[in-house]
């Protein structure tokens, strides 16, 4: 089995249907089906059972899948090491971050980078999901959570206080909430993953049990836009609230934990010249973003 066959086996073993495997491989379904049939004929063994729930690995298929995963790890290691030796200030870099950080910091940094180094091409992905740097899903991740993987290199880009914000329009209509009464009589904009995962959610450590949540969203940019449109009060990094021209509510109060921004890359890429350069431009764009 060669590496191309192994990639098809891994995709179908993980995705379980021809359609999803084809999408992962960026080929058509018929190609995946033909490749699997050819592998089975060549090996003289059935790798998958065709069931109503999808393609299920047989015992032989599970053994082949494990070996294919080892091939994948070796291929990824080869790619990391050869890319890490690249000293040219040209080529591709993949960056993953959130929509807010992309719009306010990453894209301006990339503009400055492009003016000086036009041969560096960036693939920018905006997602709140955690990506796997070890599997080369991205080269640089910019996130608000610090990972524990010892194979990763970390750099803290920002450490922002979190405050309450609303639009002037909202405060004119509803007034400023009283502290200590659970936002009684007020509308809130919530970051949905935080709101869903906590039995007693708070904003700047104030319970929200007397408030009405009018919109819950799954991206920080949508929180900011909802606040700007006057939908309610919400909690965002102070530097972003001021940047958006929002009104700060209870200026003396902050969330007990700040909003940290971490730049993360794999240690095998630390000697790549273009990666070091991109990191420098990204870091400089966050410099000066601290709240005075």
């Amino acid at each position: 089995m060669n590496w191309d066959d192994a990639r098809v086996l891994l995709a179908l073993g993980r995705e379980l249907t021809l359609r999803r495997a084809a999408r992962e491989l960026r080929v058509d379904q018929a190609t995946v089906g033909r490749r699997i049939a050819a592998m089975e004929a060549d090996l003289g063994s059935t790798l998958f059972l065709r069931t109503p729930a999808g393609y299920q690995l047989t015992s032989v298929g599970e053994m082949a899948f494990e070996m294919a995963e080892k091939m994948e790890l070796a291929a990824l290691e080869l790619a990391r090491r050869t890319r890490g030796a690249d000293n040219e200030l040209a080529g591709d870099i993949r960056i993953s971050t959130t929509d807010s950080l992309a719009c306010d910091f990453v894209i301006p940094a990339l503009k400055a980078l492009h003016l000086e180094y036009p041969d560096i091409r960036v693939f920018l992905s905006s997602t709140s999901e955690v990506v796997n740097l070890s599997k080369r899903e991205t080269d640089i991740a910019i996130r608000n959570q610090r990972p524990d993987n010892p194979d990763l290199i970390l750099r803290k880009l920002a450490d922002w206080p979190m405050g309450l914000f609303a639009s002037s329009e909202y405060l004119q209509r509803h007034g400023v909430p009283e502290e200590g009464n659970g936002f009684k009589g007020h509308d809130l904009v919530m970051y949905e993953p935080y709101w869903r995962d906590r039995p007693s959610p708070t904003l700047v450590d104030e319970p929200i049990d007397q408030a009405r949540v009018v919109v819950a969203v799954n991206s920080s940019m949508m929180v900011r836009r909802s606040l700007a449109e006057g939908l309610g009060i919400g909690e965002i990094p102070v530097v972003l609230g001021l940047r958006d021209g929002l009104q700060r509510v209870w200026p003396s109060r902050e969330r007990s934990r700040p909003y940290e921004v971490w730049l993360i890359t794999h240690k095998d890429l630390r000697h790549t010249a273009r990666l070091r350069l991109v990191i420098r431009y990204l870091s400089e764009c966050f410099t000066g973003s601290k709240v005075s």
Side-chain angles (χ1 to χ4, degrees):
M1 181 184 297
N2 60 37
W3 171 231
D4 288 336
D5 288 340
R7 290 180 63 244
V8 176
L9 174 66
L10 289 170
L12 187 56
R14 289 164 177 163
E15 301 297 334
L16 304 182
T17 70
L18 293 176
R19 180 179 60 83
R20 292 202 297 265
R23 183 173 58 190
E24 178 70 20
L25 295 166
R26 298 183 181 179
V27 299
D28 57 64
Q29 292 180 220
T31 298
V32 177
R34 286 196 302 269
R35 295 284 292 277
I36 293 296
M39 273 187 274
E40 291 180 326
D42 183 55
L43 295 170
S45 300
T46 301
L47 301 174
F48 290 92
L49 295 176
R50 283 70 169 171
T51 74
Y55 280 66
Q56 302 294 325
L57 288 164
T58 64
S59 58
V60 175
E62 289 177 351
M63 180 181 65
F65 187 87
E66 291 178 4
M67 298 302 295
E69 284 189 313
K70 293 180 180 179
M71 294 175 67
E72 179 184 48
L73 291 174
L76 292 170
E77 182 69 13
L78 173 63
R80 281 199 301 268
R81 290 183 180 275
T82 54
R83 293 179 72 205
D86 184 1
N87 290 318
E88 295 184 7
L89 297 178
D92 297 343
I93 291 289
R94 289 173 171 79
I95 302 174
S96 174
T97 187
T98 66
D99 48 7
S100 270
L101 297 178
C103 290
D104 286 283
F105 299 97
V106 177
I107 291 176
L110 296 183
K111 176 184 177 181
L113 172 75
H114 177 69
L115 292 175
E116 294 293 328
Y117 301 95
D119 293 327
I120 295 178
R121 179 171 57 187
V122 175
F123 292 85
L124 179 59
S125 172
S126 170
T127 176
S128 58
E129 297 178 359
V130 177
V131 293
N132 192 325
L133 280 86
S134 297
K135 291 189 175 181
R136 275 196 60 201
E137 293 177 354
T138 193
D139 299 312
I140 297 171
I142 301 175
R143 286 286 178 266
N144 68 332
Q145 293 182 349
R146 188 183 193 277
D148 296 326
N149 190 333
D151 290 331
L152 302 180
I153 295 176
L154 312 178
R155 176 181 298 189
K156 184 183 281 191
L157 298 178
D159 192 348
W160 295 326
M162 295 284 286
L164 278 183
F165 285 89
S167 69
S168 299
E169 174 196 354
Y170 176 87
L171 295 176
Q172 288 173 1
R173 284 189 283 114
H174 296 276
V176 177
E178 294 182 14
E179 296 186 53
N181 69 355
F183 295 97
K184 184 177 181 180
H186 280 271
D187 298 334
L188 301 182
V189 175
M190 298 295 294
Y191 180 62
E192 195 268 339
Y194 163 81
W195 182 48
R196 178 191 61 215
D197 293 341
R198 285 163 175 76
S200 302
T202 62
L203 294 179
V204 293
D205 301 329
E206 171 88 8
I208 65 169
D209 53 295
Q210 300 301 312
R212 175 174 58 190
V213 176
V214 297
V215 60
V217 299
N218 65 355
S219 86
S220 53
M221 181 59 79
M222 287 196 287
V223 172
R224 294 167 62 187
R225 287 303 308 152
S226 298
L227 296 178
E229 291 297 330
L231 285 171
I233 299 171
E235 182 187 73
I236 58 176
V238 171
V239 66
L240 300 182
L242 298 177
R243 181 182 288 251
D244 290 344
L246 297 169
Q247 299 297 306
R248 189 165 180 190
V249 179
W250 304 345
S252 62
R253 290 188 62 167
E254 300 174 356
R255 190 176 71 182
S256 55
R257 293 184 59 185
Y259 186 96
E260 298 177 341
V261 181
W262 293 91
L263 186 148
I264 310 155
T265 190
H266 199 280
K267 67 180 182 181
D268 288 344
L269 297 177
R270 63 187 181 276
H271 299 305
T272 307
R274 64 178 178 274
L275 184 105
R276 294 200 308 269
L277 185 67
V278 172
I279 289 175
R280 192 189 86 198
Y281 273 80
L282 290 170
S283 300
E284 289 174 355
C285 204
F286 279 87
T287 301
S289 64
K290 298 178 181 179
V291 179
S292 59

